[in-house]
């Protein structure tokens, strides 16, 4: 038997009297939804303590520290949206927005510049690199990534899109501006930056493929990621999240290529956020795996 109370008010929301001892939390959520359809399973957080951590869907009732009648506390996570939808929306926006500035559609730079083209090669190269990056992200979302969590709060999509779309517009405005000036050291600087960008994009894709192969389709299995025969994955020897390391390197390359302040600020903001994510994943690995490689750092070899 399972009693479900509101985590805030302690009000009894539901009493399930036909729950098997081997039932999972996911199955209990489905039963709870039958009496409260407005709270579909993805919106539910069930926990043993009102202020405790959410139980995992795969947790089994009889393995939890509960008595004959289990008391679980419910918290509403709010409206949910799938990770795939979030990522597709986040990444399609910058791709489309950047191209509006690149083609200089009307009302952006003034009538005389409508649909004109920049005379600087680096501007066209930057558009190719930016577009490639986001097309790659879209394709990876559809065909590569496997998500351990199916949904996220709907409100997050507005915050995420503001970040990605806003920075894309800010960068694109200056890079494609009729008065834009090429990098200080000309073609040599652009070639070096392009090499950094391409190498890091290949590295990022290689890491994503390696992580995908660690988790069978439809499972939530977690394993320690190790280098493969692909040289780009050898960075796993030194950091826990080389995908973030390569992502950061890509944007550093793009910043050097364009020599544009908004790109540098976007790179800095991304580095801060990815460092937070990397530290969190690194802690999880250390907590979950006793034999986790001790030399690894979260995102920057030997430093951070």
């Amino acid at each position: 038997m399972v009693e479900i109370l509101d985590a805030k008010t302690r009000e009894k929301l539901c009493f399930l009297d036909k729950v098997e001892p081997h039932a999972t939390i996911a199955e209990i959520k489905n039963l709870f939804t039958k009496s409260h359809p407005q709270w579909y399973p993805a919106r539910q957080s069930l926990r043993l303590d009102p202020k405790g951590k959410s139980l995992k869907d795969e947790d089994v009732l009889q393995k939890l520290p509960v008595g004959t009648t289990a008391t679980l506390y419910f918290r509403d996570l709010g409206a949910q949206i799938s990770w795939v939808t979030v990522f597709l929306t986040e990444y399609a926006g910058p791709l489309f927005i950047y191209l509006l500035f690149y083609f200089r559609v009307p009302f952006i730079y003034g009538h005389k510049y409508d649909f004109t083209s920049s005379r600087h090669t680096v501007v066209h190269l930057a558009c190719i690199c930016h577009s490639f990056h986001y097309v790659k992200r879209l394709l990876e979302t559809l065909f590569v990534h496997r998500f351990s969590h199916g949904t996220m709060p709907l409100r997050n999509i507005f915050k995420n899109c503001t970040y990605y779309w806003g920075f894309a517009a800010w960068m694109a405005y200056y890079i494609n501006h009729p008065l834009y000036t090429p990098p200080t050291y000309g073609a040599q600087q652009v070639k070096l930056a392009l090499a950094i960008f391409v190498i890091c994009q290949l590295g990022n894709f290689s890491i994503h493929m390696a992580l995908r192969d660690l988790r069978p389709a439809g499972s939530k299995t977690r394993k320690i990621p190790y280098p493969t025969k692909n040289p780009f994955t050898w960075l796993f020897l030194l950091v826990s999240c080389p995908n973030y390391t390569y992502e950061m390197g890509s944007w550093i390359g793009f910043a050097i290529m364009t020599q544009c302040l908004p790109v540098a600020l976007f790179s800095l903001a991304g580095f801060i956020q990815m460092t937070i994510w990397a530290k969190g994943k690194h802690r999880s690995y250390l907590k979950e795996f006793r034999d986790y490689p001790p030399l690894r750092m979260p995102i920057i070899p030997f430093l951070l």
Side-chain angles (χ1 to χ4, degrees), residues 83 87 90-91 137 159-160 163-164 240-241 243-244 247 269-285 298-299:
W83 276 97
F87 280 164
E90 285 179 4
Y91 302 153
R137 282 193 169 191
K159 177 183 65 178
N160 294 8
Y163 171 75
Y164 281 106
S240 294
C241 301
N243 51 324
Y244 295 151
E247 178 79 7
F271 173 69
I272 293 171
Q273 181 59 70
M274 284 185 282
T275 298
I276 294 171
W277 290 336
K279 285 184 174 181
K281 288 191 175 183
H282 185 71
R283 284 193 299 268
S284 296
Y285 283 140
I299 189 170

PDB file of all heavy atoms in Angstrom, residues 83 87 90-91 137 159-160 163-164 240-241 243-244 247 269-285 298-299:
ATOM      1  N   TRP A  83      13.305  16.920 -24.090  1.00  0.00           N
ATOM      2  CA  TRP A  83      14.646  17.462 -24.340  1.00  0.00           C
ATOM      3  C   TRP A  83      14.887  17.636 -25.840  1.00  0.00           C
ATOM      4  O   TRP A  83      15.532  18.596 -26.258  1.00  0.00           O
ATOM      5  CB  TRP A  83      15.702  16.526 -23.748  1.00  0.00           C
ATOM      6  CG  TRP A  83      15.959  16.763 -22.292  1.00  0.00           C
ATOM      7  CD1 TRP A  83      15.417  16.080 -21.247  1.00  0.00           C
ATOM      8  CD2 TRP A  83      16.820  17.750 -21.709  1.00  0.00           C
ATOM      9  NE1 TRP A  83      15.885  16.584 -20.053  1.00  0.00           N
ATOM     10  CE2 TRP A  83      16.748  17.602 -20.308  1.00  0.00           C
ATOM     11  CE3 TRP A  83      17.640  18.740 -22.243  1.00  0.00           C
ATOM     12  CZ2 TRP A  83      17.467  18.413 -19.442  1.00  0.00           C
ATOM     13  CZ3 TRP A  83      18.356  19.551 -21.379  1.00  0.00           C
ATOM     14  CH2 TRP A  83      18.267  19.380 -19.991  1.00  0.00           C
ATOM     15  N   PHE A  87      16.103  21.129 -27.528  1.00  0.00           N
ATOM     16  CA  PHE A  87      17.344  21.279 -28.272  1.00  0.00           C
ATOM     17  C   PHE A  87      17.093  21.717 -29.714  1.00  0.00           C
ATOM     18  O   PHE A  87      17.817  22.556 -30.245  1.00  0.00           O
ATOM     19  CB  PHE A  87      18.134  19.970 -28.258  1.00  0.00           C
ATOM     20  CG  PHE A  87      18.902  19.751 -26.981  1.00  0.00           C
ATOM     21  CD1 PHE A  87      19.396  18.495 -26.673  1.00  0.00           C
ATOM     22  CD2 PHE A  87      19.134  20.781 -26.097  1.00  0.00           C
ATOM     23  CE1 PHE A  87      20.107  18.273 -25.496  1.00  0.00           C
ATOM     24  CE2 PHE A  87      19.832  20.588 -24.914  1.00  0.00           C
ATOM     25  CZ  PHE A  87      20.329  19.335 -24.617  1.00  0.00           C
ATOM     26  N   GLU A  90      16.243  25.394 -29.532  1.00  0.00           N
ATOM     27  CA  GLU A  90      17.423  26.186 -29.172  1.00  0.00           C
ATOM     28  C   GLU A  90      18.372  26.358 -30.351  1.00  0.00           C
ATOM     29  O   GLU A  90      18.917  27.434 -30.565  1.00  0.00           O
ATOM     30  CB  GLU A  90      18.190  25.492 -28.042  1.00  0.00           C
ATOM     31  CG  GLU A  90      17.564  25.599 -26.679  1.00  0.00           C
ATOM     32  CD  GLU A  90      18.388  24.860 -25.628  1.00  0.00           C
ATOM     33  OE1 GLU A  90      19.479  24.349 -25.982  1.00  0.00           O
ATOM     34  OE2 GLU A  90      17.945  24.772 -24.480  1.00  0.00           O
ATOM     35  N   TYR A  91      18.582  25.295 -31.110  1.00  0.00           N
ATOM     36  CA  TYR A  91      19.612  25.291 -32.147  1.00  0.00           C
ATOM     37  C   TYR A  91      19.116  25.766 -33.506  1.00  0.00           C
ATOM     38  O   TYR A  91      19.897  26.318 -34.286  1.00  0.00           O
ATOM     39  CB  TYR A  91      20.203  23.887 -32.289  1.00  0.00           C
ATOM     40  CG  TYR A  91      20.799  23.348 -31.019  1.00  0.00           C
ATOM     41  CD1 TYR A  91      20.872  21.977 -30.778  1.00  0.00           C
ATOM     42  CD2 TYR A  91      21.289  24.198 -30.022  1.00  0.00           C
ATOM     43  CE1 TYR A  91      21.424  21.471 -29.603  1.00  0.00           C
ATOM     44  CE2 TYR A  91      21.830  23.706 -28.850  1.00  0.00           C
ATOM     45  CZ  TYR A  91      21.894  22.340 -28.640  1.00  0.00           C
ATOM     46  OH  TYR A  91      22.432  21.849 -27.471  1.00  0.00           O
ATOM     47  N   ARG A 137      24.645  20.253 -34.449  1.00  0.00           N
ATOM     48  CA  ARG A 137      23.903  20.086 -33.201  1.00  0.00           C
ATOM     49  C   ARG A 137      22.500  19.537 -33.447  1.00  0.00           C
ATOM     50  O   ARG A 137      22.013  18.683 -32.698  1.00  0.00           O
ATOM     51  CB  ARG A 137      23.813  21.429 -32.467  1.00  0.00           C
ATOM     52  CG  ARG A 137      25.078  21.828 -31.734  1.00  0.00           C
ATOM     53  CD  ARG A 137      24.788  22.987 -30.808  1.00  0.00           C
ATOM     54  NE  ARG A 137      25.890  23.252 -29.899  1.00  0.00           N
ATOM     55  CZ  ARG A 137      25.800  24.079 -28.861  1.00  0.00           C
ATOM     56  NH1 ARG A 137      24.647  24.692 -28.590  1.00  0.00           N
ATOM     57  NH2 ARG A 137      26.835  24.288 -28.075  1.00  0.00           N
ATOM     58  N   LYS A 159      14.100  30.592 -21.235  1.00  0.00           N
ATOM     59  CA  LYS A 159      15.403  31.063 -20.764  1.00  0.00           C
ATOM     60  C   LYS A 159      16.516  30.641 -21.729  1.00  0.00           C
ATOM     61  O   LYS A 159      17.367  31.463 -22.108  1.00  0.00           O
ATOM     62  CB  LYS A 159      15.675  30.487 -19.376  1.00  0.00           C
ATOM     63  CG  LYS A 159      17.033  30.822 -18.787  1.00  0.00           C
ATOM     64  CD  LYS A 159      17.232  30.146 -17.450  1.00  0.00           C
ATOM     65  CE  LYS A 159      17.260  28.632 -17.587  1.00  0.00           C
ATOM     66  NZ  LYS A 159      17.496  27.940 -16.297  1.00  0.00           N
ATOM     67  N   ASN A 160      16.485  29.379 -22.147  1.00  0.00           N
ATOM     68  CA  ASN A 160      17.524  28.866 -23.027  1.00  0.00           C
ATOM     69  C   ASN A 160      17.500  29.528 -24.395  1.00  0.00           C
ATOM     70  O   ASN A 160      18.550  29.858 -24.959  1.00  0.00           O
ATOM     71  CB  ASN A 160      17.379  27.349 -23.187  1.00  0.00           C
ATOM     72  CG  ASN A 160      17.646  26.600 -21.896  1.00  0.00           C
ATOM     73  OD1 ASN A 160      17.806  27.204 -20.841  1.00  0.00           O
ATOM     74  ND2 ASN A 160      17.678  25.286 -21.971  1.00  0.00           N
ATOM     75  N   TYR A 163      18.913  33.014 -24.372  1.00  0.00           N
ATOM     76  CA  TYR A 163      20.378  32.980 -24.338  1.00  0.00           C
ATOM     77  C   TYR A 163      20.953  32.696 -25.730  1.00  0.00           C
ATOM     78  O   TYR A 163      21.763  33.478 -26.252  1.00  0.00           O
ATOM     79  CB  TYR A 163      20.826  31.911 -23.342  1.00  0.00           C
ATOM     80  CG  TYR A 163      22.301  31.602 -23.350  1.00  0.00           C
ATOM     81  CD1 TYR A 163      23.216  32.478 -22.774  1.00  0.00           C
ATOM     82  CD2 TYR A 163      22.779  30.426 -23.939  1.00  0.00           C
ATOM     83  CE1 TYR A 163      24.579  32.186 -22.779  1.00  0.00           C
ATOM     84  CE2 TYR A 163      24.133  30.139 -23.941  1.00  0.00           C
ATOM     85  CZ  TYR A 163      25.027  31.012 -23.363  1.00  0.00           C
ATOM     86  OH  TYR A 163      26.360  30.726 -23.373  1.00  0.00           O
ATOM     87  N   TYR A 164      20.541  31.606 -26.349  1.00  0.00           N
ATOM     88  CA  TYR A 164      21.111  31.206 -27.636  1.00  0.00           C
ATOM     89  C   TYR A 164      20.714  32.160 -28.764  1.00  0.00           C
ATOM     90  O   TYR A 164      21.555  32.566 -29.574  1.00  0.00           O
ATOM     91  CB  TYR A 164      20.677  29.782 -27.995  1.00  0.00           C
ATOM     92  CG  TYR A 164      21.456  28.715 -27.272  1.00  0.00           C
ATOM     93  CD1 TYR A 164      20.883  27.985 -26.227  1.00  0.00           C
ATOM     94  CD2 TYR A 164      22.768  28.417 -27.617  1.00  0.00           C
ATOM     95  CE1 TYR A 164      21.598  26.998 -25.554  1.00  0.00           C
ATOM     96  CE2 TYR A 164      23.489  27.436 -26.954  1.00  0.00           C
ATOM     97  CZ  TYR A 164      22.896  26.726 -25.923  1.00  0.00           C
ATOM     98  OH  TYR A 164      23.605  25.763 -25.261  1.00  0.00           O
ATOM     99  N   SER A 240      36.945  14.640 -17.567  1.00  0.00           N
ATOM    100  CA  SER A 240      35.693  13.875 -17.504  1.00  0.00           C
ATOM    101  C   SER A 240      34.714  14.254 -18.601  1.00  0.00           C
ATOM    102  O   SER A 240      33.911  13.436 -19.035  1.00  0.00           O
ATOM    103  CB  SER A 240      35.021  14.090 -16.143  1.00  0.00           C
ATOM    104  OG  SER A 240      35.790  13.556 -15.102  1.00  0.00           O
ATOM    105  N   CYS A 241      34.776  15.508 -19.054  1.00  0.00           N
ATOM    106  CA  CYS A 241      33.810  16.004 -20.042  1.00  0.00           C
ATOM    107  C   CYS A 241      34.523  16.642 -21.239  1.00  0.00           C
ATOM    108  O   CYS A 241      34.438  17.864 -21.447  1.00  0.00           O
ATOM    109  CB  CYS A 241      32.868  17.009 -19.398  1.00  0.00           C
ATOM    110  SG  CYS A 241      31.929  16.362 -18.007  1.00  0.00           S
ATOM    111  N   ASN A 243      33.765  16.616 -24.231  1.00  0.00           N
ATOM    112  CA  ASN A 243      32.834  17.246 -25.168  1.00  0.00           C
ATOM    113  C   ASN A 243      32.723  18.736 -24.883  1.00  0.00           C
ATOM    114  O   ASN A 243      32.657  19.563 -25.800  1.00  0.00           O
ATOM    115  CB  ASN A 243      31.461  16.581 -25.118  1.00  0.00           C
ATOM    116  CG  ASN A 243      30.908  16.456 -23.712  1.00  0.00           C
ATOM    117  OD1 ASN A 243      31.645  16.217 -22.754  1.00  0.00           O
ATOM    118  ND2 ASN A 243      29.608  16.601 -23.557  1.00  0.00           N
ATOM    119  N   TYR A 244      32.735  19.119 -23.610  1.00  0.00           N
ATOM    120  CA  TYR A 244      32.705  20.534 -23.254  1.00  0.00           C
ATOM    121  C   TYR A 244      34.045  21.207 -23.568  1.00  0.00           C
ATOM    122  O   TYR A 244      34.087  22.370 -23.976  1.00  0.00           O
ATOM    123  CB  TYR A 244      32.392  20.704 -21.766  1.00  0.00           C
ATOM    124  CG  TYR A 244      31.012  20.242 -21.357  1.00  0.00           C
ATOM    125  CD1 TYR A 244      30.762  19.757 -20.076  1.00  0.00           C
ATOM    126  CD2 TYR A 244      29.946  20.288 -22.248  1.00  0.00           C
ATOM    127  CE1 TYR A 244      29.497  19.327 -19.693  1.00  0.00           C
ATOM    128  CE2 TYR A 244      28.682  19.859 -21.880  1.00  0.00           C
ATOM    129  CZ  TYR A 244      28.462  19.379 -20.591  1.00  0.00           C
ATOM    130  OH  TYR A 244      27.210  18.958 -20.225  1.00  0.00           O
ATOM    131  N   GLU A 247      33.961  21.810 -27.220  1.00  0.00           N
ATOM    132  CA  GLU A 247      32.968  22.858 -27.509  1.00  0.00           C
ATOM    133  C   GLU A 247      33.547  24.233 -27.207  1.00  0.00           C
ATOM    134  O   GLU A 247      33.400  25.181 -27.984  1.00  0.00           O
ATOM    135  CB  GLU A 247      31.712  22.619 -26.669  1.00  0.00           C
ATOM    136  CG  GLU A 247      30.619  23.669 -26.834  1.00  0.00           C
ATOM    137  CD  GLU A 247      29.802  23.499 -28.097  1.00  0.00           C
ATOM    138  OE1 GLU A 247      29.990  22.490 -28.800  1.00  0.00           O
ATOM    139  OE2 GLU A 247      28.973  24.379 -28.377  1.00  0.00           O
ATOM    140  N   ALA A 269      30.708  33.159 -21.406  1.00  0.00           N
ATOM    141  CA  ALA A 269      29.476  32.706 -20.744  1.00  0.00           C
ATOM    142  C   ALA A 269      29.314  31.200 -20.895  1.00  0.00           C
ATOM    143  O   ALA A 269      28.944  30.501 -19.941  1.00  0.00           O
ATOM    144  CB  ALA A 269      28.266  33.433 -21.338  1.00  0.00           C
ATOM    145  N   GLY A 270      29.614  30.683 -22.086  1.00  0.00           N
ATOM    146  CA  GLY A 270      29.524  29.245 -22.310  1.00  0.00           C
ATOM    147  C   GLY A 270      30.516  28.474 -21.469  1.00  0.00           C
ATOM    148  O   GLY A 270      30.192  27.408 -20.933  1.00  0.00           O
ATOM    149  N   PHE A 271      31.711  29.010 -21.343  1.00  0.00           N
ATOM    150  CA  PHE A 271      32.743  28.342 -20.540  1.00  0.00           C
ATOM    151  C   PHE A 271      32.319  28.250 -19.073  1.00  0.00           C
ATOM    152  O   PHE A 271      32.480  27.209 -18.430  1.00  0.00           O
ATOM    153  CB  PHE A 271      34.060  29.100 -20.650  1.00  0.00           C
ATOM    154  CG  PHE A 271      35.128  28.587 -19.719  1.00  0.00           C
ATOM    155  CD1 PHE A 271      35.704  27.342 -19.926  1.00  0.00           C
ATOM    156  CD2 PHE A 271      35.545  29.341 -18.635  1.00  0.00           C
ATOM    157  CE1 PHE A 271      36.678  26.857 -19.048  1.00  0.00           C
ATOM    158  CE2 PHE A 271      36.510  28.872 -17.767  1.00  0.00           C
ATOM    159  CZ  PHE A 271      37.081  27.615 -17.983  1.00  0.00           C
ATOM    160  N   ILE A 272      31.754  29.324 -18.549  1.00  0.00           N
ATOM    161  CA  ILE A 272      31.305  29.323 -17.157  1.00  0.00           C
ATOM    162  C   ILE A 272      30.221  28.273 -16.941  1.00  0.00           C
ATOM    163  O   ILE A 272      30.262  27.490 -15.993  1.00  0.00           O
ATOM    164  CB  ILE A 272      30.797  30.723 -16.754  1.00  0.00           C
ATOM    165  CG1 ILE A 272      31.963  31.725 -16.732  1.00  0.00           C
ATOM    166  CG2 ILE A 272      30.112  30.681 -15.385  1.00  0.00           C
ATOM    167  CD1 ILE A 272      31.540  33.168 -16.557  1.00  0.00           C
ATOM    168  N   GLN A 273      29.228  28.248 -17.846  1.00  0.00           N
ATOM    169  CA  GLN A 273      28.133  27.289 -17.705  1.00  0.00           C
ATOM    170  C   GLN A 273      28.624  25.852 -17.883  1.00  0.00           C
ATOM    171  O   GLN A 273      28.257  24.960 -17.110  1.00  0.00           O
ATOM    172  CB  GLN A 273      27.042  27.593 -18.729  1.00  0.00           C
ATOM    173  CG  GLN A 273      25.842  26.659 -18.646  1.00  0.00           C
ATOM    174  CD  GLN A 273      25.153  26.696 -17.288  1.00  0.00           C
ATOM    175  OE1 GLN A 273      24.525  27.681 -16.938  1.00  0.00           O
ATOM    176  NE2 GLN A 273      25.276  25.636 -16.513  1.00  0.00           N
ATOM    177  N   MET A 274      29.462  25.617 -18.888  1.00  0.00           N
ATOM    178  CA  MET A 274      29.953  24.259 -19.129  1.00  0.00           C
ATOM    179  C   MET A 274      30.857  23.773 -18.005  1.00  0.00           C
ATOM    180  O   MET A 274      30.895  22.576 -17.700  1.00  0.00           O
ATOM    181  CB  MET A 274      30.665  24.179 -20.479  1.00  0.00           C
ATOM    182  CG  MET A 274      29.715  24.169 -21.659  1.00  0.00           C
ATOM    183  SD  MET A 274      30.518  23.922 -23.261  1.00  0.00           S
ATOM    184  CE  MET A 274      31.182  25.561 -23.557  1.00  0.00           C
ATOM    185  N   THR A 275      31.571  24.696 -17.368  1.00  0.00           N
ATOM    186  CA  THR A 275      32.396  24.324 -16.219  1.00  0.00           C
ATOM    187  C   THR A 275      31.520  23.852 -15.060  1.00  0.00           C
ATOM    188  O   THR A 275      31.840  22.864 -14.381  1.00  0.00           O
ATOM    189  CB  THR A 275      33.260  25.521 -15.764  1.00  0.00           C
ATOM    190  OG1 THR A 275      34.142  25.896 -16.832  1.00  0.00           O
ATOM    191  CG2 THR A 275      34.094  25.157 -14.542  1.00  0.00           C
ATOM    192  N   ILE A 276      30.408  24.535 -14.849  1.00  0.00           N
ATOM    193  CA  ILE A 276      29.456  24.121 -13.799  1.00  0.00           C
ATOM    194  C   ILE A 276      28.921  22.725 -14.090  1.00  0.00           C
ATOM    195  O   ILE A 276      28.875  21.858 -13.218  1.00  0.00           O
ATOM    196  CB  ILE A 276      28.303  25.140 -13.689  1.00  0.00           C
ATOM    197  CG1 ILE A 276      28.834  26.492 -13.187  1.00  0.00           C
ATOM    198  CG2 ILE A 276      27.204  24.615 -12.755  1.00  0.00           C
ATOM    199  CD1 ILE A 276      27.818  27.619 -13.251  1.00  0.00           C
ATOM    200  N   TRP A 277      28.517  22.495 -15.354  1.00  0.00           N
ATOM    201  CA  TRP A 277      28.008  21.169 -15.745  1.00  0.00           C
ATOM    202  C   TRP A 277      29.089  20.105 -15.590  1.00  0.00           C
ATOM    203  O   TRP A 277      28.824  19.007 -15.094  1.00  0.00           O
ATOM    204  CB  TRP A 277      27.524  21.197 -17.188  1.00  0.00           C
ATOM    205  CG  TRP A 277      26.271  21.984 -17.399  1.00  0.00           C
ATOM    206  CD1 TRP A 277      25.312  22.276 -16.469  1.00  0.00           C
ATOM    207  CD2 TRP A 277      25.832  22.581 -18.624  1.00  0.00           C
ATOM    208  NE1 TRP A 277      24.305  23.030 -17.045  1.00  0.00           N
ATOM    209  CE2 TRP A 277      24.591  23.228 -18.348  1.00  0.00           C
ATOM    210  CE3 TRP A 277      26.356  22.651 -19.908  1.00  0.00           C
ATOM    211  CZ2 TRP A 277      23.882  23.912 -19.338  1.00  0.00           C
ATOM    212  CZ3 TRP A 277      25.652  23.326 -20.894  1.00  0.00           C
ATOM    213  CH2 TRP A 277      24.430  23.948 -20.605  1.00  0.00           C
ATOM    214  N   ALA A 278      30.300  20.428 -16.039  1.00  0.00           N
ATOM    215  CA  ALA A 278      31.394  19.455 -16.002  1.00  0.00           C
ATOM    216  C   ALA A 278      31.741  19.079 -14.561  1.00  0.00           C
ATOM    217  O   ALA A 278      31.982  17.906 -14.255  1.00  0.00           O
ATOM    218  CB  ALA A 278      32.620  20.022 -16.718  1.00  0.00           C
ATOM    219  N   LYS A 279      31.778  20.057 -13.668  1.00  0.00           N
ATOM    220  CA  LYS A 279      32.068  19.774 -12.262  1.00  0.00           C
ATOM    221  C   LYS A 279      30.991  18.873 -11.667  1.00  0.00           C
ATOM    222  O   LYS A 279      31.286  17.971 -10.873  1.00  0.00           O
ATOM    223  CB  LYS A 279      32.169  21.079 -11.469  1.00  0.00           C
ATOM    224  CG  LYS A 279      33.465  21.844 -11.714  1.00  0.00           C
ATOM    225  CD  LYS A 279      33.545  23.078 -10.815  1.00  0.00           C
ATOM    226  CE  LYS A 279      34.885  23.761 -10.933  1.00  0.00           C
ATOM    227  NZ  LYS A 279      34.978  24.957 -10.044  1.00  0.00           N
ATOM    228  N   GLY A 280      29.735  19.123 -12.034  1.00  0.00           N
ATOM    229  CA  GLY A 280      28.641  18.291 -11.535  1.00  0.00           C
ATOM    230  C   GLY A 280      28.762  16.854 -12.022  1.00  0.00           C
ATOM    231  O   GLY A 280      28.599  15.906 -11.243  1.00  0.00           O
ATOM    232  N   LYS A 281      29.086  16.670 -13.300  1.00  0.00           N
ATOM    233  CA  LYS A 281      29.243  15.318 -13.841  1.00  0.00           C
ATOM    234  C   LYS A 281      30.458  14.632 -13.228  1.00  0.00           C
ATOM    235  O   LYS A 281      30.430  13.428 -12.948  1.00  0.00           O
ATOM    236  CB  LYS A 281      29.372  15.380 -15.364  1.00  0.00           C
ATOM    237  CG  LYS A 281      28.080  15.737 -16.075  1.00  0.00           C
ATOM    238  CD  LYS A 281      28.188  15.537 -17.568  1.00  0.00           C
ATOM    239  CE  LYS A 281      26.843  15.794 -18.254  1.00  0.00           C
ATOM    240  NZ  LYS A 281      26.894  15.532 -19.715  1.00  0.00           N
ATOM    241  N   HIS A 282      31.517  15.392 -13.032  1.00  0.00           N
ATOM    242  CA  HIS A 282      32.737  14.841 -12.437  1.00  0.00           C
ATOM    243  C   HIS A 282      32.459  14.328 -11.021  1.00  0.00           C
ATOM    244  O   HIS A 282      32.880  13.230 -10.652  1.00  0.00           O
ATOM    245  CB  HIS A 282      33.827  15.919 -12.416  1.00  0.00           C
ATOM    246  CG  HIS A 282      35.160  15.438 -11.942  1.00  0.00           C
ATOM    247  ND1 HIS A 282      35.955  14.594 -12.683  1.00  0.00           N
ATOM    248  CD2 HIS A 282      35.833  15.672 -10.783  1.00  0.00           C
ATOM    249  CE1 HIS A 282      37.068  14.342 -12.014  1.00  0.00           C
ATOM    250  NE2 HIS A 282      37.019  14.972 -10.864  1.00  0.00           N
ATOM    251  N   ARG A 283      31.719  15.119 -10.245  1.00  0.00           N
ATOM    252  CA  ARG A 283      31.359  14.689  -8.890  1.00  0.00           C
ATOM    253  C   ARG A 283      30.508  13.427  -8.929  1.00  0.00           C
ATOM    254  O   ARG A 283      30.668  12.526  -8.093  1.00  0.00           O
ATOM    255  CB  ARG A 283      30.627  15.817  -8.150  1.00  0.00           C
ATOM    256  CG  ARG A 283      31.531  16.936  -7.651  1.00  0.00           C
ATOM    257  CD  ARG A 283      30.785  17.838  -6.672  1.00  0.00           C
ATOM    258  NE  ARG A 283      29.634  18.474  -7.285  1.00  0.00           N
ATOM    259  CZ  ARG A 283      29.671  19.663  -7.874  1.00  0.00           C
ATOM    260  NH1 ARG A 283      30.812  20.340  -7.934  1.00  0.00           N
ATOM    261  NH2 ARG A 283      28.572  20.186  -8.399  1.00  0.00           N
ATOM    262  N   SER A 284      29.585  13.365  -9.881  1.00  0.00           N
ATOM    263  CA  SER A 284      28.722  12.183 -10.001  1.00  0.00           C
ATOM    264  C   SER A 284      29.532  10.937 -10.332  1.00  0.00           C
ATOM    265  O   SER A 284      29.291   9.858  -9.768  1.00  0.00           O
ATOM    266  CB  SER A 284      27.670  12.407 -11.097  1.00  0.00           C
ATOM    267  OG  SER A 284      26.796  13.462 -10.744  1.00  0.00           O
ATOM    268  N   TYR A 285      30.493  11.093 -11.235  1.00  0.00           N
ATOM    269  CA  TYR A 285      31.349   9.957 -11.584  1.00  0.00           C
ATOM    270  C   TYR A 285      32.131   9.478 -10.359  1.00  0.00           C
ATOM    271  O   TYR A 285      32.223   8.276 -10.096  1.00  0.00           O
ATOM    272  CB  TYR A 285      32.336  10.355 -12.682  1.00  0.00           C
ATOM    273  CG  TYR A 285      31.755  10.420 -14.072  1.00  0.00           C
ATOM    274  CD1 TYR A 285      32.119  11.440 -14.954  1.00  0.00           C
ATOM    275  CD2 TYR A 285      30.877   9.443 -14.536  1.00  0.00           C
ATOM    276  CE1 TYR A 285      31.610  11.501 -16.243  1.00  0.00           C
ATOM    277  CE2 TYR A 285      30.357   9.498 -15.820  1.00  0.00           C
ATOM    278  CZ  TYR A 285      30.727  10.534 -16.668  1.00  0.00           C
ATOM    279  OH  TYR A 285      30.221  10.580 -17.944  1.00  0.00           O
ATOM    280  N   PRO A 298      37.615  17.985 -14.380  1.00  0.00           N
ATOM    281  CA  PRO A 298      36.301  18.128 -15.031  1.00  0.00           C
ATOM    282  C   PRO A 298      36.350  18.563 -16.491  1.00  0.00           C
ATOM    283  O   PRO A 298      35.740  17.945 -17.361  1.00  0.00           O
ATOM    284  CB  PRO A 298      35.592  19.189 -14.173  1.00  0.00           C
ATOM    285  CG  PRO A 298      36.229  19.032 -12.813  1.00  0.00           C
ATOM    286  CD  PRO A 298      37.672  18.704 -13.094  1.00  0.00           C
ATOM    287  N   ILE A 299      37.094  19.653 -16.815  1.00  0.00           N
ATOM    288  CA  ILE A 299      37.010  20.205 -18.174  1.00  0.00           C
ATOM    289  C   ILE A 299      38.355  20.628 -18.767  1.00  0.00           C
ATOM    290  O   ILE A 299      38.544  20.532 -19.983  1.00  0.00           O
ATOM    291  CB  ILE A 299      36.010  21.390 -18.185  1.00  0.00           C
ATOM    292  CG1 ILE A 299      35.708  21.859 -19.619  1.00  0.00           C
ATOM    293  CG2 ILE A 299      36.506  22.543 -17.339  1.00  0.00           C
ATOM    294  CD1 ILE A 299      34.563  22.858 -19.710  1.00  0.00           C
TER     295      ILE A 299
END
